[in-house]
PDB file of all heavy atoms in Angstrom:
ATOM      1  N   ASN O   1      33.518  13.968  50.061  1.00  0.00           N
ATOM      2  CA  ASN O   1      32.972  15.049  49.240  1.00  0.00           C
ATOM      3  C   ASN O   1      34.086  15.877  48.618  1.00  0.00           C
ATOM      4  O   ASN O   1      33.993  16.313  47.463  1.00  0.00           O
ATOM      5  CB  ASN O   1      32.056  15.937  50.073  1.00  0.00           C
ATOM      6  CG  ASN O   1      30.726  15.285  50.377  1.00  0.00           C
ATOM      7  OD1 ASN O   1      30.348  14.302  49.745  1.00  0.00           O
ATOM      8  ND2 ASN O   1      30.005  15.811  51.361  1.00  0.00           N
ATOM      9  N   ILE O   2      35.146  16.122  49.394  1.00  0.00           N
ATOM     10  CA  ILE O   2      36.292  16.854  48.870  1.00  0.00           C
ATOM     11  C   ILE O   2      36.906  16.101  47.693  1.00  0.00           C
ATOM     12  O   ILE O   2      37.192  16.670  46.640  1.00  0.00           O
ATOM     13  CB  ILE O   2      37.346  17.082  49.966  1.00  0.00           C
ATOM     14  CG1 ILE O   2      36.865  18.145  50.960  1.00  0.00           C
ATOM     15  CG2 ILE O   2      38.689  17.478  49.375  1.00  0.00           C
ATOM     16  CD1 ILE O   2      36.790  19.544  50.385  1.00  0.00           C
ATOM     17  N   LYS O   3      37.103  14.790  47.862  1.00  0.00           N
ATOM     18  CA  LYS O   3      37.697  13.995  46.785  1.00  0.00           C
ATOM     19  C   LYS O   3      36.801  13.993  45.542  1.00  0.00           C
ATOM     20  O   LYS O   3      37.299  14.046  44.415  1.00  0.00           O
ATOM     21  CB  LYS O   3      37.965  12.574  47.266  1.00  0.00           C
ATOM     22  CG  LYS O   3      39.087  12.479  48.291  1.00  0.00           C
ATOM     23  CD  LYS O   3      39.260  11.055  48.799  1.00  0.00           C
ATOM     24  CE  LYS O   3      40.299  10.984  49.904  1.00  0.00           C
ATOM     25  NZ  LYS O   3      40.473   9.619  50.445  1.00  0.00           N
ATOM     26  N   SER O   4      35.504  13.932  45.751  1.00  0.00           N
ATOM     27  CA  SER O   4      34.577  13.962  44.625  1.00  0.00           C
ATOM     28  C   SER O   4      34.669  15.293  43.885  1.00  0.00           C
ATOM     29  O   SER O   4      34.672  15.334  42.643  1.00  0.00           O
ATOM     30  CB  SER O   4      33.146  13.736  45.128  1.00  0.00           C
ATOM     31  OG  SER O   4      32.218  13.829  44.062  1.00  0.00           O
ATOM     32  N   THR O   5      34.790  16.390  44.640  1.00  0.00           N
ATOM     33  CA  THR O   5      34.931  17.712  44.033  1.00  0.00           C
ATOM     34  C   THR O   5      36.231  17.800  43.260  1.00  0.00           C
ATOM     35  O   THR O   5      36.283  18.344  42.151  1.00  0.00           O
ATOM     36  CB  THR O   5      34.878  18.800  45.121  1.00  0.00           C
ATOM     37  OG1 THR O   5      33.641  18.715  45.821  1.00  0.00           O
ATOM     38  CG2 THR O   5      35.015  20.186  44.512  1.00  0.00           C
ATOM     39  N   ILE O   6      37.304  17.268  43.832  1.00  0.00           N
ATOM     40  CA  ILE O   6      38.606  17.276  43.163  1.00  0.00           C
ATOM     41  C   ILE O   6      38.530  16.512  41.845  1.00  0.00           C
ATOM     42  O   ILE O   6      39.000  16.989  40.804  1.00  0.00           O
ATOM     43  CB  ILE O   6      39.680  16.670  44.093  1.00  0.00           C
ATOM     44  CG1 ILE O   6      39.984  17.627  45.245  1.00  0.00           C
ATOM     45  CG2 ILE O   6      40.965  16.345  43.315  1.00  0.00           C
ATOM     46  CD1 ILE O   6      40.786  17.001  46.357  1.00  0.00           C
ATOM     47  N   LYS O   7      37.940  15.316  41.868  1.00  0.00           N
ATOM     48  CA  LYS O   7      37.851  14.516  40.647  1.00  0.00           C
ATOM     49  C   LYS O   7      37.035  15.236  39.578  1.00  0.00           C
ATOM     50  O   LYS O   7      37.411  15.239  38.404  1.00  0.00           O
ATOM     51  CB  LYS O   7      37.234  13.145  40.966  1.00  0.00           C
ATOM     52  CG  LYS O   7      38.146  12.249  41.789  1.00  0.00           C
ATOM     53  CD  LYS O   7      37.495  10.923  42.132  1.00  0.00           C
ATOM     54  CE  LYS O   7      37.478   9.994  40.952  1.00  0.00           C
ATOM     55  NZ  LYS O   7      37.038   8.632  41.342  1.00  0.00           N
ATOM     56  N   GLU O   8      35.940  15.858  39.987  1.00  0.00           N
ATOM     57  CA  GLU O   8      35.106  16.574  39.023  1.00  0.00           C
ATOM     58  C   GLU O   8      35.881  17.734  38.405  1.00  0.00           C
ATOM     59  O   GLU O   8      35.884  17.916  37.178  1.00  0.00           O
ATOM     60  CB  GLU O   8      33.843  17.082  39.714  1.00  0.00           C
ATOM     61  CG  GLU O   8      32.935  17.870  38.791  1.00  0.00           C
ATOM     62  CD  GLU O   8      31.708  18.414  39.524  1.00  0.00           C
ATOM     63  OE1 GLU O   8      31.539  18.109  40.721  1.00  0.00           O
ATOM     64  OE2 GLU O   8      30.936  19.160  38.891  1.00  0.00           O
ATOM     65  N   ARG O   9      36.534  18.527  39.248  1.00  0.00           N
ATOM     66  CA  ARG O   9      37.243  19.700  38.748  1.00  0.00           C
ATOM     67  C   ARG O   9      38.399  19.308  37.838  1.00  0.00           C
ATOM     68  O   ARG O   9      38.593  19.870  36.763  1.00  0.00           O
ATOM     69  CB  ARG O   9      37.752  20.524  39.933  1.00  0.00           C
ATOM     70  CG  ARG O   9      38.424  21.832  39.545  1.00  0.00           C
ATOM     71  CD  ARG O   9      37.468  22.807  38.882  1.00  0.00           C
ATOM     72  NE  ARG O   9      36.213  22.924  39.598  1.00  0.00           N
ATOM     73  CZ  ARG O   9      36.043  23.669  40.690  1.00  0.00           C
ATOM     74  NH1 ARG O   9      37.047  24.329  41.191  1.00  0.00           N
ATOM     75  NH2 ARG O   9      34.860  23.735  41.276  1.00  0.00           N
ATOM     76  N   TYR O  10      39.191  18.315  38.259  1.00  0.00           N
ATOM     77  CA  TYR O  10      40.358  17.964  37.460  1.00  0.00           C
ATOM     78  C   TYR O  10      39.993  17.154  36.221  1.00  0.00           C
ATOM     79  O   TYR O  10      40.769  17.109  35.265  1.00  0.00           O
ATOM     80  CB  TYR O  10      41.406  17.262  38.334  1.00  0.00           C
ATOM     81  CG  TYR O  10      42.168  18.273  39.178  1.00  0.00           C
ATOM     82  CD1 TYR O  10      41.691  18.660  40.428  1.00  0.00           C
ATOM     83  CD2 TYR O  10      43.329  18.866  38.701  1.00  0.00           C
ATOM     84  CE1 TYR O  10      42.377  19.607  41.185  1.00  0.00           C
ATOM     85  CE2 TYR O  10      44.012  19.807  39.446  1.00  0.00           C
ATOM     86  CZ  TYR O  10      43.523  20.183  40.687  1.00  0.00           C
ATOM     87  OH  TYR O  10      44.181  21.129  41.414  1.00  0.00           O
ATOM     88  N   THR O  11      38.835  16.540  36.207  1.00  0.00           N
ATOM     89  CA  THR O  11      38.337  15.949  34.970  1.00  0.00           C
ATOM     90  C   THR O  11      38.084  17.036  33.935  1.00  0.00           C
ATOM     91  O   THR O  11      38.435  16.888  32.753  1.00  0.00           O
ATOM     92  CB  THR O  11      37.038  15.160  35.229  1.00  0.00           C
ATOM     93  OG1 THR O  11      37.335  14.044  36.080  1.00  0.00           O
ATOM     94  CG2 THR O  11      36.428  14.651  33.932  1.00  0.00           C
ATOM     95  N   GLN O  12      37.532  18.147  34.372  1.00  0.00           N
ATOM     96  CA  GLN O  12      37.289  19.271  33.466  1.00  0.00           C
ATOM     97  C   GLN O  12      38.600  19.891  32.996  1.00  0.00           C
ATOM     98  O   GLN O  12      38.770  20.217  31.818  1.00  0.00           O
ATOM     99  CB  GLN O  12      36.405  20.306  34.165  1.00  0.00           C
ATOM    100  CG  GLN O  12      34.999  19.793  34.453  1.00  0.00           C
ATOM    101  CD  GLN O  12      34.234  20.679  35.421  1.00  0.00           C
ATOM    102  OE1 GLN O  12      34.812  21.289  36.314  1.00  0.00           O
ATOM    103  NE2 GLN O  12      32.924  20.736  35.260  1.00  0.00           N
ATOM    104  N   ILE O  13      39.544  20.029  33.916  1.00  0.00           N
ATOM    105  CA  ILE O  13      40.842  20.600  33.559  1.00  0.00           C
ATOM    106  C   ILE O  13      41.560  19.718  32.546  1.00  0.00           C
ATOM    107  O   ILE O  13      42.214  20.208  31.622  1.00  0.00           O
ATOM    108  CB  ILE O  13      41.708  20.796  34.822  1.00  0.00           C
ATOM    109  CG1 ILE O  13      41.121  21.910  35.704  1.00  0.00           C
ATOM    110  CG2 ILE O  13      43.149  21.122  34.459  1.00  0.00           C
ATOM    111  CD1 ILE O  13      41.799  22.049  37.049  1.00  0.00           C
ATOM    112  N   ALA O  14      41.436  18.398  32.705  1.00  0.00           N
ATOM    113  CA  ALA O  14      42.119  17.464  31.798  1.00  0.00           C
ATOM    114  C   ALA O  14      41.677  17.634  30.357  1.00  0.00           C
ATOM    115  O   ALA O  14      42.433  17.321  29.425  1.00  0.00           O
ATOM    116  CB  ALA O  14      41.866  16.025  32.248  1.00  0.00           C
ATOM    117  N   GLY O  15      40.482  18.152  30.155  1.00  0.00           N
ATOM    118  CA  GLY O  15      39.960  18.309  28.809  1.00  0.00           C
ATOM    119  C   GLY O  15      40.425  19.553  28.101  1.00  0.00           C
ATOM    120  O   GLY O  15      40.034  19.793  26.950  1.00  0.00           O
ATOM    121  N   GLN O  16      41.280  20.350  28.744  1.00  0.00           N
ATOM    122  CA  GLN O  16      41.709  21.612  28.155  1.00  0.00           C
ATOM    123  C   GLN O  16      43.234  21.733  28.186  1.00  0.00           C
ATOM    124  O   GLN O  16      43.916  21.015  28.910  1.00  0.00           O
ATOM    125  CB  GLN O  16      41.080  22.794  28.916  1.00  0.00           C
ATOM    126  CG  GLN O  16      39.566  22.782  28.877  1.00  0.00           C
ATOM    127  CD  GLN O  16      38.941  24.037  29.455  1.00  0.00           C
ATOM    128  OE1 GLN O  16      37.766  24.259  29.285  1.00  0.00           O
ATOM    129  NE2 GLN O  16      39.716  24.860  30.129  1.00  0.00           N
ATOM    130  N   SER O  17      43.743  22.643  27.399  1.00  0.00           N
ATOM    131  CA  SER O  17      45.177  22.928  27.376  1.00  0.00           C
ATOM    132  C   SER O  17      45.538  23.859  28.529  1.00  0.00           C
ATOM    133  O   SER O  17      44.664  24.414  29.204  1.00  0.00           O
ATOM    134  CB  SER O  17      45.550  23.609  26.055  1.00  0.00           C
ATOM    135  OG  SER O  17      44.971  24.915  26.003  1.00  0.00           O
ATOM    136  N   ARG O  18      46.836  24.052  28.727  1.00  0.00           N
ATOM    137  CA  ARG O  18      47.293  24.995  29.752  1.00  0.00           C
ATOM    138  C   ARG O  18      46.733  26.388  29.478  1.00  0.00           C
ATOM    139  O   ARG O  18      46.294  27.082  30.389  1.00  0.00           O
ATOM    140  CB  ARG O  18      48.821  25.034  29.790  1.00  0.00           C
ATOM    141  CG  ARG O  18      49.372  26.091  30.737  1.00  0.00           C
ATOM    142  CD  ARG O  18      50.862  26.005  30.902  1.00  0.00           C
ATOM    143  NE  ARG O  18      51.335  27.044  31.810  1.00  0.00           N
ATOM    144  CZ  ARG O  18      52.464  26.975  32.475  1.00  0.00           C
ATOM    145  NH1 ARG O  18      53.248  25.917  32.352  1.00  0.00           N
ATOM    146  NH2 ARG O  18      52.847  27.965  33.264  1.00  0.00           N
ATOM    147  N   GLU O  19      46.762  26.815  28.214  1.00  0.00           N
ATOM    148  CA  GLU O  19      46.280  28.151  27.881  1.00  0.00           C
ATOM    149  C   GLU O  19      44.782  28.297  28.174  1.00  0.00           C
ATOM    150  O   GLU O  19      44.336  29.320  28.684  1.00  0.00           O
ATOM    151  CB  GLU O  19      46.559  28.457  26.403  1.00  0.00           C
ATOM    152  CG  GLU O  19      48.032  28.643  26.066  1.00  0.00           C
ATOM    153  CD  GLU O  19      48.801  27.326  26.009  1.00  0.00           C
ATOM    154  OE1 GLU O  19      48.158  26.253  25.900  1.00  0.00           O
ATOM    155  OE2 GLU O  19      50.042  27.379  26.077  1.00  0.00           O
ATOM    156  N   GLU O  20      44.022  27.279  27.838  1.00  0.00           N
ATOM    157  CA  GLU O  20      42.583  27.311  28.117  1.00  0.00           C
ATOM    158  C   GLU O  20      42.325  27.317  29.617  1.00  0.00           C
ATOM    159  O   GLU O  20      41.450  28.033  30.112  1.00  0.00           O
ATOM    160  CB  GLU O  20      41.888  26.120  27.462  1.00  0.00           C
ATOM    161  CG  GLU O  20      41.830  26.210  25.953  1.00  0.00           C
ATOM    162  CD  GLU O  20      41.372  24.911  25.318  1.00  0.00           C
ATOM    163  OE1 GLU O  20      41.728  23.830  25.827  1.00  0.00           O
ATOM    164  OE2 GLU O  20      40.665  24.977  24.304  1.00  0.00           O
ATOM    165  N   ASN O  21      43.092  26.524  30.370  1.00  0.00           N
ATOM    166  CA  ASN O  21      42.924  26.504  31.816  1.00  0.00           C
ATOM    167  C   ASN O  21      43.265  27.847  32.425  1.00  0.00           C
ATOM    168  O   ASN O  21      42.601  28.319  33.347  1.00  0.00           O
ATOM    169  CB  ASN O  21      43.809  25.410  32.433  1.00  0.00           C
ATOM    170  CG  ASN O  21      43.282  24.031  32.155  1.00  0.00           C
ATOM    171  OD1 ASN O  21      42.081  23.831  32.087  1.00  0.00           O
ATOM    172  ND2 ASN O  21      44.172  23.074  31.980  1.00  0.00           N
ATOM    173  N   ALA O  22      44.307  28.494  31.904  1.00  0.00           N
ATOM    174  CA  ALA O  22      44.690  29.798  32.431  1.00  0.00           C
ATOM    175  C   ALA O  22      43.613  30.841  32.147  1.00  0.00           C
ATOM    176  O   ALA O  22      43.288  31.669  33.011  1.00  0.00           O
ATOM    177  CB  ALA O  22      46.019  30.243  31.824  1.00  0.00           C
ATOM    178  N   SER O  23      43.023  30.787  30.951  1.00  0.00           N
ATOM    179  CA  SER O  23      42.038  31.808  30.598  1.00  0.00           C
ATOM    180  C   SER O  23      40.730  31.632  31.340  1.00  0.00           C
ATOM    181  O   SER O  23      39.991  32.588  31.539  1.00  0.00           O
ATOM    182  CB  SER O  23      41.778  31.783  29.086  1.00  0.00           C
ATOM    183  OG  SER O  23      41.144  30.578  28.701  1.00  0.00           O
ATOM    184  N   SER O  24      40.439  30.394  31.787  1.00  0.00           N
ATOM    185  CA  SER O  24      39.208  30.171  32.541  1.00  0.00           C
ATOM    186  C   SER O  24      39.493  29.904  34.011  1.00  0.00           C
ATOM    187  O   SER O  24      38.632  29.471  34.743  1.00  0.00           O
ATOM    188  CB  SER O  24      38.409  29.010  31.948  1.00  0.00           C
ATOM    189  OG  SER O  24      39.116  27.801  32.069  1.00  0.00           O
ATOM    190  N   CYS O  25      40.690  30.197  34.444  1.00  0.00           N
ATOM    191  CA  CYS O  25      41.151  30.104  35.826  1.00  0.00           C
ATOM    192  C   CYS O  25      41.245  28.684  36.332  1.00  0.00           C
ATOM    193  O   CYS O  25      42.295  28.254  36.740  1.00  0.00           O
ATOM    194  CB  CYS O  25      40.288  30.932  36.777  1.00  0.00           C
ATOM    195  SG  CYS O  25      40.392  32.682  36.475  1.00  0.00           S
ATOM    196  N   CYS O  26      40.165  27.947  36.348  1.00  0.00           N
ATOM    197  CA  CYS O  26      40.259  26.592  36.875  1.00  0.00           C
ATOM    198  C   CYS O  26      39.804  25.573  35.860  1.00  0.00           C
ATOM    199  O   CYS O  26      39.569  24.428  36.188  1.00  0.00           O
ATOM    200  CB  CYS O  26      39.458  26.449  38.166  1.00  0.00           C
ATOM    201  SG  CYS O  26      37.739  26.813  37.959  1.00  0.00           S
ATOM    202  N   GLY O  27      39.625  26.002  34.625  1.00  0.00           N
ATOM    203  CA  GLY O  27      39.357  25.046  33.570  1.00  0.00           C
ATOM    204  C   GLY O  27      37.912  24.623  33.469  1.00  0.00           C
ATOM    205  O   GLY O  27      37.596  23.690  32.776  1.00  0.00           O
ATOM    206  N   THR O  28      37.012  25.318  34.128  1.00  0.00           N
ATOM    207  CA  THR O  28      35.620  24.897  34.099  1.00  0.00           C
ATOM    208  C   THR O  28      34.744  25.891  33.348  1.00  0.00           C
ATOM    209  O   THR O  28      33.537  25.893  33.497  1.00  0.00           O
ATOM    210  CB  THR O  28      35.070  24.739  35.531  1.00  0.00           C
ATOM    211  OG1 THR O  28      35.097  26.008  36.163  1.00  0.00           O
ATOM    212  CG2 THR O  28      35.881  23.740  36.321  1.00  0.00           C
ATOM    213  N   GLY O  29      35.363  26.761  32.564  1.00  0.00           N
ATOM    214  CA  GLY O  29      34.574  27.678  31.762  1.00  0.00           C
ATOM    215  C   GLY O  29      34.216  28.939  32.497  1.00  0.00           C
ATOM    216  O   GLY O  29      33.296  29.655  32.110  1.00  0.00           O
ATOM    217  N   GLY O  30      34.933  29.289  33.566  1.00  0.00           N
ATOM    218  CA  GLY O  30      34.723  30.592  34.162  1.00  0.00           C
ATOM    219  C   GLY O  30      34.459  30.609  35.634  1.00  0.00           C
ATOM    220  O   GLY O  30      33.940  31.584  36.158  1.00  0.00           O
ATOM    221  N   CYS O  31      34.822  29.567  36.406  1.00  0.00           N
ATOM    222  CA  CYS O  31      34.580  29.615  37.854  1.00  0.00           C
ATOM    223  C   CYS O  31      35.582  30.518  38.557  1.00  0.00           C
ATOM    224  O   CYS O  31      35.282  31.104  39.578  1.00  0.00           O
ATOM    225  CB  CYS O  31      34.645  28.217  38.466  1.00  0.00           C
ATOM    226  SG  CYS O  31      36.288  27.535  38.503  1.00  0.00           S
ATOM    227  N   CYS O  32      36.808  30.610  38.003  1.00  0.00           N
ATOM    228  CA  CYS O  32      37.821  31.532  38.518  1.00  0.00           C
ATOM    229  C   CYS O  32      38.041  31.430  40.012  1.00  0.00           C
ATOM    230  O   CYS O  32      38.150  32.435  40.721  1.00  0.00           O
ATOM    231  CB  CYS O  32      37.486  32.974  38.143  1.00  0.00           C
ATOM    232  SG  CYS O  32      37.860  33.341  36.415  1.00  0.00           S
ATOM    233  N   THR O  33      38.103  30.216  40.537  1.00  0.00           N
ATOM    234  CA  THR O  33      38.400  30.043  41.951  1.00  0.00           C
ATOM    235  C   THR O  33      39.814  30.488  42.261  1.00  0.00           C
ATOM    236  O   THR O  33      40.040  31.323  43.115  1.00  0.00           O
ATOM    237  CB  THR O  33      38.238  28.560  42.340  1.00  0.00           C
ATOM    238  OG1 THR O  33      36.924  28.153  42.006  1.00  0.00           O
ATOM    239  CG2 THR O  33      38.469  28.362  43.813  1.00  0.00           C
ATOM    240  N   VAL O  34      40.793  29.899  41.593  1.00  0.00           N
ATOM    241  CA  VAL O  34      42.188  30.302  41.719  1.00  0.00           C
ATOM    242  C   VAL O  34      42.813  30.195  40.344  1.00  0.00           C
ATOM    243  O   VAL O  34      42.621  29.211  39.638  1.00  0.00           O
ATOM    244  CB  VAL O  34      42.959  29.395  42.714  1.00  0.00           C
ATOM    245  CG1 VAL O  34      44.437  29.745  42.707  1.00  0.00           C
ATOM    246  CG2 VAL O  34      42.410  29.553  44.127  1.00  0.00           C
ATOM    247  N   ASP O  35      43.577  31.213  39.948  1.00  0.00           N
ATOM    248  CA  ASP O  35      44.327  31.150  38.712  1.00  0.00           C
ATOM    249  C   ASP O  35      45.603  30.372  38.996  1.00  0.00           C
ATOM    250  O   ASP O  35      46.511  30.862  39.658  1.00  0.00           O
ATOM    251  CB  ASP O  35      44.642  32.568  38.232  1.00  0.00           C
ATOM    252  CG  ASP O  35      45.385  32.587  36.909  1.00  0.00           C
ATOM    253  OD1 ASP O  35      45.818  31.503  36.465  1.00  0.00           O
ATOM    254  OD2 ASP O  35      45.531  33.671  36.332  1.00  0.00           O
ATOM    255  N   TYR O  36      45.700  29.143  38.486  1.00  0.00           N
ATOM    256  CA  TYR O  36      46.837  28.284  38.796  1.00  0.00           C
ATOM    257  C   TYR O  36      48.165  28.871  38.311  1.00  0.00           C
ATOM    258  O   TYR O  36      49.228  28.480  38.776  1.00  0.00           O
ATOM    259  CB  TYR O  36      46.631  26.894  38.188  1.00  0.00           C
ATOM    260  CG  TYR O  36      45.505  26.129  38.849  1.00  0.00           C
ATOM    261  CD1 TYR O  36      44.272  25.998  38.227  1.00  0.00           C
ATOM    262  CD2 TYR O  36      45.682  25.550  40.096  1.00  0.00           C
ATOM    263  CE1 TYR O  36      43.243  25.306  38.832  1.00  0.00           C
ATOM    264  CE2 TYR O  36      44.652  24.854  40.706  1.00  0.00           C
ATOM    265  CZ  TYR O  36      43.436  24.732  40.073  1.00  0.00           C
ATOM    266  OH  TYR O  36      42.407  24.058  40.678  1.00  0.00           O
ATOM    267  N   GLU O  37      48.095  29.820  37.380  1.00  0.00           N
ATOM    268  CA  GLU O  37      49.323  30.414  36.868  1.00  0.00           C
ATOM    269  C   GLU O  37      50.091  31.168  37.956  1.00  0.00           C
ATOM    270  O   GLU O  37      51.294  31.383  37.822  1.00  0.00           O
ATOM    271  CB  GLU O  37      49.007  31.348  35.700  1.00  0.00           C
ATOM    272  CG  GLU O  37      48.531  30.631  34.443  1.00  0.00           C
ATOM    273  CD  GLU O  37      49.623  29.788  33.800  1.00  0.00           C
ATOM    274  OE1 GLU O  37      50.759  30.264  33.662  1.00  0.00           O
ATOM    275  OE2 GLU O  37      49.327  28.644  33.418  1.00  0.00           O
TER     276      GLU O  37
END
């Protein structure tokens, strides 16, 4: 389940730039789990 969550999250991150990922925290449009910056 952890691996499935990782793949889902990083698939979303892959679709955005660094700036977009930073503005949405985790690249999913506003989940803001951790700001990778």
Side-chain angles (χ1 to χ4, degrees):
N1 286 344
I2 287 291
K3 290 177 185 179
S4 177
T5 301
I6 289 167
K7 290 178 76 171
E8 179 182 356
R9 184 65 47 80
Y10 282 88
T11 295
Q12 294 166 328
I13 291 172
Q16 299 188 168
S17 68
R18 174 173 180 157
E19 290 76 17
E20 290 169 324
N21 287 326
S23 67
S24 65
C25 295
C26 59
T28 63
C31 70
C32 283
T33 303
V34 174
D35 182 350
Y36 292 104
E37 291 292 315

